[in-house]
Amino acid sequence: MPPVDHPTTPRRLHLNAFLMNAGHHDAAWRHPRTQPERITDLRYFQQLAQTAERGRLDSIFFADGLALWGKVRHNALGGFEPLTLLSALAAVTEHIGLIATVSTTFNEPFHTARKFASLDHISGGRAGWNIVTSGTVNEARNFGQDEHLEHRLRYARAREFVEVATKLWDSWEDDAILLDRERGVYADTGRVREISHRGAYFGVQGPLNVPRSPQGHPLLVQAGSSEDGKEFAAEYAEAVFTAQQTLADAQSFYKDLKSRLARHGRSENELKVLPGICPVIGSTEAEAQALDRELTGLQVPEYGLAQLSGMLGTDLTGLPLDGPLPELPEERDINGNKSRFTLVAELARRDGLTLRELIARLGGGRGHRVVVGTPEQIADQLQEWFSQGAADGFNIMPPHLPGGLEDFVDHVVPILQRRGLFRTEYTGRTLRDHYGLPRPANRTANRTANRPATAATPTRHAP
């Protein structure tokens, strides 16, 4: 008899909504469709989260920095600390994942592990951690340092940081809580262990003071695309937010990153690649292009020039806007976001852009791809990248809020659903369920299964 073909689950897109105050376009706050006066109004973000959940998106995400980004004179900057905000959003949503950025450079592993374990419990298993090393000297100066830690050392610290956090999440076994009222035993102390970590950057005794959470570990997300960043992602990340301008570049990044997984004992489906896309949507192509021109016309060149100076590590103040980029430093000399420096520099050189044109091109996505068109055209672009080995899904960056998110959920998502590319209902409860990722085993429990230990006699294991 010929072999029987067994049906397999079709590959489906993963969609994350990256929410940023009035929207991702740097002039969004000036547009009449936005509500910049509400960026510290909890109800505003609750409504955005509920819109994303209505669209059955996998997750929402808040970026964060430990300094005031950009020129607040010309943009609606600042706002809530993301973990605090996500805890409040957990109370008004049921399914959507909740991802927050937390820096490994200016935090401690115990604090961070505790906060994410708490969010995971509060949300019923929907927490995700976007791991960053921070990239600006202004952040360093808010923490008593005159200069930022060197790029490679930041990643070395990040590796140990994540290892310590993982040990802390695993310091409680899943069945440690007994709740034996009759004997007066709340927890089995043989299943709650110190981690006794001593490393180059951290010394942490443990155990964590939060029991193991519904997901075991939060979903681990990473966004750096430098060599250090890609190697870090291959070892630890389960989702990667990346910025790619062309299909060919996205395919190259996707193939490169996936090829690194095997040497860390991981399979390709254990990491999802989600390029950022800023969709400018109109009911017709002409309407979408008109909105794009309208947003560009609201830009403040002084703001864009300051943003560009930060991305390129070069002070562009006073240079003619209709002139070319000046000579730039080598990537190896950049101590901030190396991958974004390279992307922006190559974009300007490839397309021969003046400073004014480059500011306009970066206004919506800051280096992420901006797609202008009808819902059908946006869906076509997502499908092409998804089917051509460039993405497992997308980090959706609405140029203006709340309307840009509503347009995507109400008009693009239904097209993707009709094409069988995206879920019509949630089939799981946790963020890991949405991304098709397993709940991680407790490594401490596995290593000590045949060696009983107590909190008083800790079991040591290497990072």
Side-chain angles (χ1 to χ4, degrees):
M1 293 181 61
V4 177
D5 290 330
H6 295 284
T8 59
T9 303
R11 180 170 171 256
R12 290 219 166 108
L13 281 164
H14 299 286
L15 297 175
N16 172 77
F18 180 178
L19 303 180
M20 181 175 282
N21 286 358
H24 280 270
H25 199 285
D26 61 33
W29 71 277
R30 301 182 67 193
H31 196 276
R33 289 186 66 184
T34 64
Q35 302 168 0
E37 69 279 4
R38 299 186 68 194
I39 68 170
T40 51
D41 178 351
L42 174 60
R43 291 170 297 177
Y44 172 67
F45 288 103
Q46 288 176 332
Q47 290 160 5
L48 291 175
Q50 289 167 338
T51 297
E53 187 165 75
R54 174 163 57 81
R56 308 297 189 263
L57 271 58
D58 295 67
S59 47
I60 57 174
F61 160 58
F62 291 96
D64 193 39
L66 297 169
L68 183 61
W69 285 343
K71 286 184 173 290
V72 72
R73 177 179 174 84
H74 300 302
N75 202 351
L77 304 172
F80 291 125
E81 186 280 317
L83 277 170
T84 306
L85 175 58
L86 288 175
S87 293
L89 299 186
V92 298
T93 55
E94 294 183 12
H95 295 281
I96 197 150
L98 308 167
I99 303 175
T101 291
V102 171
S103 169
T104 59
T105 305
F106 301 114
N107 283 288
E108 289 290 322
F110 192 94
H111 279 139
T112 301
R114 184 188 190 198
K115 291 173 183 176
F116 277 106
S118 298
L119 178 61
D120 208 46
H121 279 291
I122 288 167
S123 64
R126 295 185 280 139
W129 173 20
N130 179 42
I131 304 163
V132 301
T133 64
S134 297
T136 70
V137 69
N138 286 339
E139 290 172 291
R141 289 171 182 169
N142 284 337
F143 291 85
Q145 301 176 26
D146 292 330
E147 297 296 334
H148 203 6
L149 193 65
E150 191 270 325
H151 188 272
R152 192 168 294 276
L153 292 179
R154 296 204 304 271
Y155 274 99
R157 177 186 166 97
R159 284 185 171 84
E160 187 178 339
F161 193 112
V162 173
E163 289 290 343
V164 175
T166 300
K167 290 181 187 179
L168 288 166
W169 291 319
D170 287 348
S171 63
W172 289 65
E173 294 187 33
D174 290 317
D175 55 357
I177 297 176
L178 302 179
L179 278 178
D180 189 333
R181 291 182 171 91
E182 185 175 337
R183 291 192 301 138
V185 177
Y186 175 75
D188 180 348
T189 53
R191 298 173 185 175
V192 182
R193 299 180 176 86
E194 294 179 1
I195 68 169
S196 301
H197 177 90
R198 294 293 179 271
Y201 295 94
F202 305 107
V204 181
Q205 176 178 289
L208 193 62
N209 57 354
V210 182
R212 201 161 195 256
S213 71
Q215 291 189 116
H217 306 165
L219 182 80
L220 299 182
V221 183
Q222 191 266 353
S225 299
S226 66
E227 281 302 307
D228 288 329
K230 286 187 286 190
E231 202 57 37
F232 181 90
E235 188 170 0
Y236 298 106
E238 294 163 304
V240 169
F241 297 153
T242 183
Q244 308 295 334
Q245 284 285 321
T246 68
L247 175 62
D249 287 346
Q251 289 170 322
S252 177
F253 177 85
Y254 186 95
K255 182 178 180 181
D256 179 12
L257 189 54
K258 297 275 187 170
S259 72
R260 297 172 186 245
L261 293 166
R263 61 174 171 265
H264 296 288
R266 305 178 66 196
S267 64
E268 290 192 7
N269 62 5
E270 291 181 67
L271 184 151
K272 313 299 181 183
V273 178
L274 283 74
I277 177 173
C278 179
V280 182
I281 304 170
S283 58
T284 65
E285 187 174 353
E287 183 181 300
Q289 291 172 344
L291 174 59
D292 186 49
R293 288 193 301 271
E294 189 176 3
L295 288 166
T296 297
L298 293 173
Q299 283 187 295
V300 178
E302 182 184 345
Y303 179 85
L305 204 60
Q307 291 288 96
L308 188 56
S309 295
M311 291 181 194
L312 296 176
T314 302
D315 185 2
L316 304 174
T317 306
L319 292 179
L321 290 175
D322 294 312
L325 273 180
E327 185 174 344
L328 298 175
E330 296 292 329
E331 181 190 305
R332 64 175 178 270
D333 297 323
I334 295 294
N335 195 33
N337 188 329
K338 289 180 179 288
S339 56
R340 193 59 53 87
F341 166 86
T342 301
L343 185 150
V344 172
E346 288 181 352
L347 172 64
R349 290 166 182 155
R350 183 185 70 227
D351 294 352
L353 302 177
T354 65
L355 287 175
R356 189 188 305 278
E357 291 167 337
L358 185 55
I359 288 168
R361 290 280 288 273
L362 298 174
R366 300 176 309 284
H368 294 274
R369 189 168 58 116
V370 177
V371 179
V372 182
T374 65
E376 195 84 24
Q377 289 171 325
I378 302 295
D380 289 345
Q381 289 284 308
L382 300 185
Q383 182 170 358
E384 180 184 21
W385 281 40
F386 179 62
S387 63
Q388 296 298 316
D392 296 307
F394 296 90
N395 195 18
I396 306 302
M397 302 165 58
H400 59 93
L401 291 171
L405 180 62
E406 293 167 348
D407 290 344
F408 186 84
V409 163
D410 292 336
H411 301 295
V412 179
V413 167
I415 296 170
L416 298 173
Q417 291 170 329
R418 288 195 296 271
R419 295 179 184 181
L421 295 170
F422 191 62
R423 69 172 68 85
T424 55
E425 295 294 340
Y426 289 109
T427 56
R429 291 298 303 238
T430 72
L431 179 54
R432 290 182 171 278
D433 289 340
H434 303 340
Y435 278 88
L437 296 167
R439 186 176 189 270
N442 188 313
R443 295 188 302 176
T444 301
N446 291 343
R447 294 181 185 184
T448 60
N450 299 314
R451 290 168 31 191
T454 68
T457 55
T459 299
R460 295 176 179 268
H461 58 87

